[in-house]
Amino acid sequence: MNGRAFRPATLAEALTIRGGEAVRPVAGGTDLMVARRRHAPAPVRLDAPPLFIAHLSELRYVRLDGDRTAVGAATTLHDLADSPGIDPGLKKAIRWFASPAIRNVATIGGNICNASPAADLLPYLVAVDATLVLQDAGGAREVAVREFITGPGRHVLTDAELLTEVRFPARDPVPRFRFYRKVAPRRSNALSKLSLYVEARVEPNATIRELRMAAGAIAPTVVRFDEAERIVEAQSTAALGRLAGDAVQACMRAMNPIDDQRSTAAYRMSATCRLIRRVLEHDLPSWRCHDRSDHT
Ligand SMILES: Cc1cc2nc3c(=O)[nH]c(=O)nc-3n(C[C@H](O)[C@H](O)[C@H](O)COP(=O)(O)OP(=O)(O)OC[C@H]3O[C@@H](n4cnc5c(N)ncnc54)[C@H](O)[C@@H]3O)c2cc1C
């Protein structure tokens, strides 16, 4: 690759370079640098000349757009966590993410495009049906985050495209139950053995609405528990003790955990089921909408 590198001044220039030759987009570099170093001593060698994009202001913003929040792909996790428009569910996931030093440079776009089943932002983004704007020099298309990732490290981005924007629902003024838990060897700077995001609206008469559940690191891609959601949707919190077993069974059918260096498939399966059961039988029924800790 002849030591070449690109630092475009604008997004348009970045897209022209991307469309013109093989380059490797580099945002915060926190995945790329670690991945490449495993195979080569310093200096880190990429598979193609780097196309640096983290400095582009056109990719760094948080915008409230009616009932949607639009986030530039090169927005760092630190800036996301700091932004008042961001849903508390996403902020919960960011709190479990790496360390302040990594959060200062790691970007939301890098977390998505790395397409790791253990990426900490993905359970939230999958649960809330986030969409992604993929752009090349000729135009843009929007795809659901669930359709974007096709396997570990694999996605539908073409060689000419960049992920430019992530869209998800704006912060809901009505308090919601929100739960995020990551199981990892330690609290920070560790990749997940499994992660779980759950949110729901609970009506004053205790009816559960808009239950959304997704888990990371328990299958080749993040899993949305659609069937379990349907079992619980529109039921009363009082019925959860009776329904939790069926819901957990439905979740088990959706999981496809693997053995790897971080954990075993058996542990992932049993720990995820225990966590889901705890959320459905205890955390969700005991949550009250005046519990501000879930709304900040
Ligand atoms: C010490 C340490 C701790 C970590 N802890 C966590 C953790 O707790 N949770 C977690 O989820 N992750 C963790 N990570 C992984 C990493 O920090 C995140 O995945 C981060 O969000 C990646 O963002 P980045 O901007 O650094 O991506 P980069 O490394 O720059 O890029 C990652 C991939 O995405 C591509 N890419 C980036 N942006 C775009 C774009 N806009 N368009 C197209 N392709 C793009 C790159 O080409 C590359 O393939 C950790 C990493 C380290 C080193």
Side-chain angles (χ1 to χ4, degrees):
M1 73 183 215
N2 304 328
R4 289 190 313 145
F6 298 94
R7 194 176 190 279
T10 62
L11 175 58
E13 194 190 329
L15 293 171
T16 303
I17 295 167
R18 177 88 161 132
E21 57 185 293
V23 287
R24 166 60 62 184
V26 178
T30 60
D31 270 319
L32 278 174
M33 295 300 117
V34 175
R36 305 312 300 181
R37 201 176 287 275
R38 236 182 268 138
H39 308 295
V44 170
R45 280 185 194 280
L46 298 176
D47 53 353
L51 172 66
F52 294 107
I53 55 171
H55 60 285
L56 294 172
S57 57
E58 292 153 282
L59 293 177
R60 297 185 69 146
Y61 55 85
V62 175
R63 229 179 260 141
L64 281 180
D65 215 353
D67 59 353
R68 306 290 285 171
T69 301
V71 175
T75 306
T76 65
L77 299 195
H78 171 270
D79 287 351
L80 269 181
D82 236 21
S83 172
I86 293 297
D87 186 274
L90 183 54
K91 290 192 179 186
K92 274 178 188 267
I94 295 173
R95 256 179 247 141
W96 288 79
F97 195 106
S99 61
I102 295 287
R103 293 199 294 265
N104 273 333
V105 285
T107 66
I108 184 169
N111 199 240
I112 296 167
C113 291
N114 197 49
S116 163
D120 276 330
L121 302 191
L122 285 176
Y124 171 84
L125 294 172
V126 167
V128 303
D129 295 317
T131 60
L132 309 176
V133 179
L134 313 181
Q135 219 173 316
D136 63 19
R141 60 184 173 128
E142 188 170 350
V143 300
V145 69
R146 272 177 102 169
E147 279 146 35
F148 178 74
I149 296 171
T150 53
R154 292 203 311 274
H155 48 58
V156 302
L157 201 70
T158 70
D159 287 346
E161 287 175 321
L162 288 173
L163 166 62
T164 53
E165 189 173 276
V166 185
R167 296 175 177 166
F168 45 86
R171 182 187 177 130
D172 186 350
V174 179
R176 276 171 184 256
F177 170 78
R178 294 179 176 92
F179 175 95
Y180 181 75
R181 192 67 78 245
K182 163 173 169 171
V183 177
R186 52 180 190 271
R187 170 82 200 238
S188 68
N189 261 342
L191 290 179
S192 303
K193 294 172 192 269
L194 64 97
S195 55
L196 176 70
Y197 179 73
V198 182
E199 73 166 49
R201 202 159 54 73
V202 182
E203 293 186 339
N205 67 0
T207 304
I208 299 162
R209 301 279 181 200
E210 295 165 25
L211 175 74
R212 295 168 180 144
M213 304 202 288
I218 51 141
T221 58
V222 167
V223 174
R224 176 83 178 262
F225 295 121
D226 312 81
E227 194 190 342
E229 290 175 7
R230 283 194 294 273
I231 291 171
V232 173
E233 178 67 25
Q235 301 291 333
S236 162
T237 53
L240 282 175
R242 176 172 53 79
L243 295 172
D246 287 349
V248 170
Q249 289 291 326
C251 293
M252 285 175 78
R253 286 192 285 279
M255 291 183 223
N256 178 19
I258 53 156
D259 290 308
D260 66 10
Q261 72 279 17
R262 288 200 294 278
S263 192
T264 63
Y267 174 80
R268 286 183 159 114
M269 178 69 91
S270 73
T272 309
C273 289
R274 278 203 308 278
L275 203 50
I276 292 169
R277 189 177 276 280
R278 187 195 107 180
V279 169
L280 295 180
E281 288 183 345
H282 174 73
D283 298 37
L284 179 53
S286 61
W287 180 80
R288 297 290 172 267
C289 66
H290 48 73
D291 181 354
R292 307 306 295 175
S293 66
D294 278 308
H295 199 52
T296 53

